[in-house]
């Protein structure tokens, strides 16, 4: 039996040492990033959140919503919190009630809780042991479902195959899942390898996950389990039609990050937007809530074989892309450290960066090449996601189309893994389907015309590109030194990333953070903490 794993094949375009980076300096940067990340990792290990507890209930199979649309997972977790608190987690009180009866399952228990017919407690002794065992079985069943979906992906990859990188990444976002589906399939037929369903504006600030198929999103479509299921099935159909696997992306961020990550694993999504600071900076979500939720969500992603996409490109929409270039590198190093600690392998780290230097800046393209090549060489095994220009797009569609072509050229020259499609009407309106066709034509032409041009692009030693890359790396190390001394939470509060200041006790969602008690128990966390998500048992090819 031939083994096919999930690691993207980069053998044809693996970056070589073109910048002459000092390995000692690179190692120092990673050591400083680990030092800066450790207090945040410890914070996440010693606290839980309402969303982590709800994620366990969803993993155990709790679906559906109360008459007012509020999910049963929210209602059950809130009832437990009101009666006995969440310091010990939801598992002990919930499965203690299930063992004691007379409830037939989580849904029946949630309905009884809604009718105020349940009195939860923290069990002790043999009753606690019985609750733990029942909770472990329920969590194991959910993790097993995720493992099976991961095996399905491997089976489809074996059946349909996957194109070489760079992968073309295209967005659909109508607000109506039933309109998104034909658009996504059409995009795949025109060459898209990754289809991202943009999430409805404001969903990241909802402290619940809507239920069912939705048709009224705003500038995007709600992330729900049913929407995930519908789109995955549609892309599986077109994958078989085209003879290549089409990957599906959504967003695991915001106040429900752990729950959405869990639903993504259960419905076999392939990529998820999941950044260590995006929600803090751009959605004013509390920093502590974000980092705690993120660790659990990334553990789920690691287990599910999902590639994360980070959001460093967003920093350059608010900060200057030249002056703040080093903050992108620092964030990528932090995202790498947080990801590794949560179990993500290098092939799952879709670190983000962007082509956002003002085109009026002299030698802007050389600067872009320096930044892109630096990222490529710092993270040689990561499937980097390169974002197109947005900040400096205007009503000049011809200039925008040219700028997108330069972006596509930089992506090919520096061996980027995932290239998001740039739209010439970015600065005017939500792109039409015809705009997307032209954008796909642009990237196809550049990619096909250049071929393996990255092999021939070798910056001159001591030249502009090399020296700029080294300067950015040096500035990154200086910033990491300061963060290590002052803490990452302080750096965020001072507006280090993306200019915006976010204090550690501000923002939305802090009331959902709970310090774990001595007897805290989460059976899903036990499994994710103790089992290797990339063991042969989980990643070995299954017969198709």
């Amino acid at each position: 039996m031939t083994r096919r794993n999930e690691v993207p094949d980069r053998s044809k375009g693996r970056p070589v040492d073109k910048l002459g980076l000092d390995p000692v300096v690179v190692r120092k940067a990673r050591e400083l990033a680990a030092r800066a990340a450790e207090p945040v990792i410890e914070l996440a290990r010693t606290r839980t959140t309402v969303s982590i507890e709800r994620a366990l209930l969803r993993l155990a199979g709790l679906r559906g919503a109360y008459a007012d649309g509020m999910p049963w997972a929210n209602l059950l977790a809130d009832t437990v919190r009101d009666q006995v608190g969440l310091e010990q987690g939801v598992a002990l009180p919930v499965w203690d009630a299930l063992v004691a009866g007379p409830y037939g399952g989580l849904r029946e228990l949630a309905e009884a809780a809604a009718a105020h017919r349940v009195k939860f407690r923290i069990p002790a002794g043999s009753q606690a042991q019985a609750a733990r065992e029942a909770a472990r079985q329920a969590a194991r069943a959910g993790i097993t479902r995720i493992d099976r979906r991961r095996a399905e992906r491997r089976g489809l990859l074996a059946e349909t195959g996957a194109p070489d990188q760079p992968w073309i990444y295209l967005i659909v976002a109508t607000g109506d899942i039933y309109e998104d589906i034909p658009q996504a399939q059409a995009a795949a037929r025109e060459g898209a390898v990754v289809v991202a369903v943009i999430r409805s504006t404001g969903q990241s600030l909802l402290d619940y996950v809507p239920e069912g198929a939705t048709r009224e999103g705003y500038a995007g479509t709600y992330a729900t389990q049913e929407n995930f299921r519908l789109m995955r099935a549609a892309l599986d159909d077109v994958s078989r039609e085209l003879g290549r696997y089409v990957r599906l992306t959504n967003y695991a961020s915001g106040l429900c990050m752990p729950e959405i990550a869990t639903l993504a694993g259960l419905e076999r999504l392939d990529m998820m937007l999941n950044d260590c600071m995006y929600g803090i900076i751009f959605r004013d979500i509390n920093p502590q809530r974000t980092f705690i939720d993120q660790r659990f969500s990334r553990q789920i992603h690691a287990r599910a074989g999902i590639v994360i996409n980070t959001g460093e490109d967003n920093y350059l929409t608010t900060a200057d892309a030249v002056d703040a270039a080093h903050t992108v590198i620092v964030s990528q190093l932090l995202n790498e450290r947080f990801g590794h600690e949560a179990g993500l392998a290098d092939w799952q780290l879709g670190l983000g960066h962007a082509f956002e230097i003002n085109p009026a800046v002299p030698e802007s393209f050389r600067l872009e090449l320096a930044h892109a090549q630096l990222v490529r060489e710092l993270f040689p095994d990561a499937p980097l996601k390169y974002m197109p220009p947005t900040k400096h797009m205007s009503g000049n569609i011809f200039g925008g189309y040219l700028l997108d072509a330069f972006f596509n050229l930089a992506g090919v020259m520096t061996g980027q893994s995932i290239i998001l499609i740039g739209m010439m009407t970015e600065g005017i309106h939500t792109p039409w389907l015809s705009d997307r066709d032209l954008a796909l034509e642009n990237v196809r032409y550049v990619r096909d015309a250049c071929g393996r041009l990255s092999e021939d692009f070798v910056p001159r030693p001591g030249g502009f590109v090399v020296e700029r890359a080294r300067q950015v790396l040096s500035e990154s190390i200086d910033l990491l030194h300061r963060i290590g001394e002052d803490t990452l939470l302080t750096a965020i509060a001072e507006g280090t990333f993306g200019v915006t200041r976010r204090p550690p006790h501000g923002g939305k969602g802090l009331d959902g953070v709970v310090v774990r008690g001595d007897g805290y128990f989460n059976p899903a966390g036990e499994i994710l903490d103790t089992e290797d998500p990339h063991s042969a048992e989980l990643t070995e090819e299954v017969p198709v």
Side-chain angles (χ1 to χ4, degrees):
M1 178 175 60
T2 301
R3 176 182 172 128
R4 177 193 292 262
N5 63 27
E6 299 153 290
V7 181
D9 181 11
R10 291 188 45 79
S11 59
K12 295 180 181 178
R14 183 178 173 83
V16 297
D17 179 10
K18 299 179 180 181
L19 297 173
L21 300 177
D22 185 341
V24 175
V25 174
V26 173
R27 185 165 57 252
K28 181 65 174 178
R30 283 193 161 85
E31 290 171 353
L32 289 169
R35 175 186 170 194
E38 189 54 39
V40 173
I41 292 171
E42 181 61 21
L43 177 82
R45 286 172 176 157
T46 56
R47 286 160 176 76
T48 187
T49 72
V50 290
S51 187
I52 290 174
E53 301 306 317
R54 297 192 302 249
L56 170 63
L57 298 175
R58 291 181 178 276
L59 189 66
L62 183 57
R63 297 185 64 171
Y66 195 55
D68 63 358
M70 185 57 62
W72 291 116
N74 284 66
L75 192 147
L76 188 53
D78 288 348
T79 303
V80 171
R81 185 176 192 181
D82 290 344
Q83 292 188 12
V84 297
L86 291 179
E87 289 76 10
Q88 312 302 315
V90 298
L92 283 174
V94 164
W95 272 272
D96 172 63
L98 287 174
V99 170
Y103 313 105
L106 285 171
R107 172 67 176 267
E108 190 174 330
L109 177 64
E111 291 173 350
H116 307 288
R117 298 198 306 268
V118 184
K119 181 67 174 177
F120 290 105
R121 63 174 184 169
I122 303 296
S126 61
Q127 292 160 329
Q129 185 57 37
R132 286 191 189 93
E133 183 56 34
R136 286 189 179 111
Q137 290 179 11
R140 174 60 68 184
I143 296 289
T144 298
R145 285 195 293 273
I146 288 177
D147 294 343
R148 288 173 180 162
R149 301 315 302 270
R150 182 173 180 171
E152 285 177 15
R153 181 191 299 114
R154 292 194 302 276
L156 276 168
L157 281 166
E159 176 186 342
T160 62
D164 293 334
Q165 294 175 347
W167 292 337
I168 297 175
Y169 179 117
L170 194 139
I171 289 168
V172 297
T174 69
D176 182 342
I177 187 62
Y178 294 105
E179 291 294 329
D180 287 345
I181 286 171
Q183 288 199 17
Q185 291 179 319
R189 293 185 183 106
E190 290 301 313
V193 176
V194 181
V195 173
V197 182
I198 290 291
R199 195 169 60 180
S200 180
T201 298
Q203 185 176 353
S204 62
L205 302 181
L206 298 179
D207 214 343
Y208 66 93
V209 180
E211 285 288 326
T214 62
R215 309 199 68 171
E216 295 182 342
Y218 302 93
T221 302
Y222 284 102
T224 74
Q225 185 169 4
E226 180 63 7
N227 286 348
F228 288 174
R229 186 191 69 79
L230 290 168
M231 184 60 81
R232 180 66 271 167
L235 292 183
D236 284 350
D237 288 343
V238 82
S239 294
R240 293 186 176 96
E241 171 193 326
L242 298 173
R244 58 176 171 81
Y245 187 68
V246 181
R247 287 167 166 80
L248 174 59
T249 298
N250 211 285
Y251 292 64
S253 59
L255 293 171
C256 294
M257 191 188 305
E259 294 169 87
I260 293 176
T262 299
L263 298 180
L266 291 170
E267 299 301 335
R268 191 169 38 84
L269 272 68
D270 306 286
M271 294 184 183
M272 296 297 284
L273 278 289
N274 185 267
D275 182 74
C276 66
M277 291 181 280
Y278 174 84
I280 300 168
I281 296 166
F282 296 97
R283 294 294 181 265
D284 194 21
I285 295 173
N286 175 261
Q288 297 179 61
R289 173 73 176 265
T290 298
F291 285 121
I292 298 162
D293 279 346
Q294 185 180 101
R295 181 174 186 267
F296 186 90
S297 71
R298 289 187 171 186
Q299 288 183 299
I300 291 287
H301 291 329
R303 185 77 183 213
I306 289 172
V307 173
I308 68 166
N309 294 157
T310 62
E312 285 82 7
D313 54 283
N314 294 281
Y315 304 162
L316 305 184
T317 63
T318 52
D320 182 81
V322 177
D323 294 342
H326 63 294
T327 68
V328 169
I329 301 298
V330 168
S331 179
Q332 290 166 337
L333 289 165
L334 290 169
N335 262 313
E336 178 188 58
R337 173 58 190 144
F338 289 133
H340 283 168
E341 192 279 330
L344 292 169
D346 283 339
W347 64 266
Q348 293 178 289
L349 296 175
L351 302 173
H353 58 130
F355 189 99
E356 288 286 17
I357 297 174
N358 188 336
V361 171
E363 302 191 279
S364 61
F365 188 66
R366 295 176 83 190
L367 288 167
E368 292 283 7
L369 289 176
H371 297 175
Q373 187 65 32
L374 175 60
V375 177
R376 181 69 281 169
E377 292 194 24
L378 285 175
F379 308 99
D381 296 312
L384 302 178
K385 189 181 82 168
Y386 198 27
M387 296 289 285
T390 57
K391 184 177 180 180
H392 298 289
M393 297 294 275
S394 68
N396 179 355
I397 60 172
F398 303 106
Y401 202 61
L402 177 62
L403 198 58
D404 284 333
F406 270 73
F407 158 72
N408 293 328
L409 178 60
V412 171
M413 289 178 68
T414 59
Q416 303 302 311
S417 310
I418 304 166
I419 295 181
L420 186 69
I421 296 299
M423 299 291 176
M424 64 184 185
T425 51
E426 179 77 40
I428 304 173
H429 56 68
T430 299
W432 296 325
L433 290 177
S434 57
D435 301 335
R436 294 178 185 177
D437 285 341
L438 287 170
L440 284 163
E441 182 179 322
N442 188 323
V443 71
R444 281 198 303 266
Y445 167 74
V446 173
R447 183 190 61 186
D448 295 344
C450 291
R452 294 162 66 175
L453 179 61
S454 61
E455 296 176 359
D456 299 316
F457 170 57
V458 182
R460 178 173 59 85
F464 181 94
V465 170
V466 168
E467 291 306 308
R468 173 57 185 171
R470 291 178 179 177
Q471 176 190 352
V472 173
L473 180 57
S474 176
E475 292 173 355
S476 302
I477 287 175
D478 290 343
L479 177 55
L480 284 166
H481 270 295
R482 294 198 299 274
I483 293 174
E485 293 171 358
D486 298 334
T487 76
L488 179 56
L489 292 179
T490 299
I492 294 170
E494 292 175 348
T496 301
F497 304 93
V499 180
T500 309
R501 299 171 182 268
R502 300 298 189 196
H505 295 287
K508 305 169 184 68
L510 180 60
D511 58 345
V513 174
V514 179
V515 177
R516 296 182 187 182
D518 291 338
Y520 176 78
F521 173 64
N522 183 326
E526 278 188 350
I527 294 169
L528 297 171
D529 277 334
T530 58
E531 295 182 2
D532 178 6
H534 308 293
S535 66
E537 181 180 341
L538 293 175
T539 59
E540 186 66 49
E541 178 63 70
V542 293
V544 179

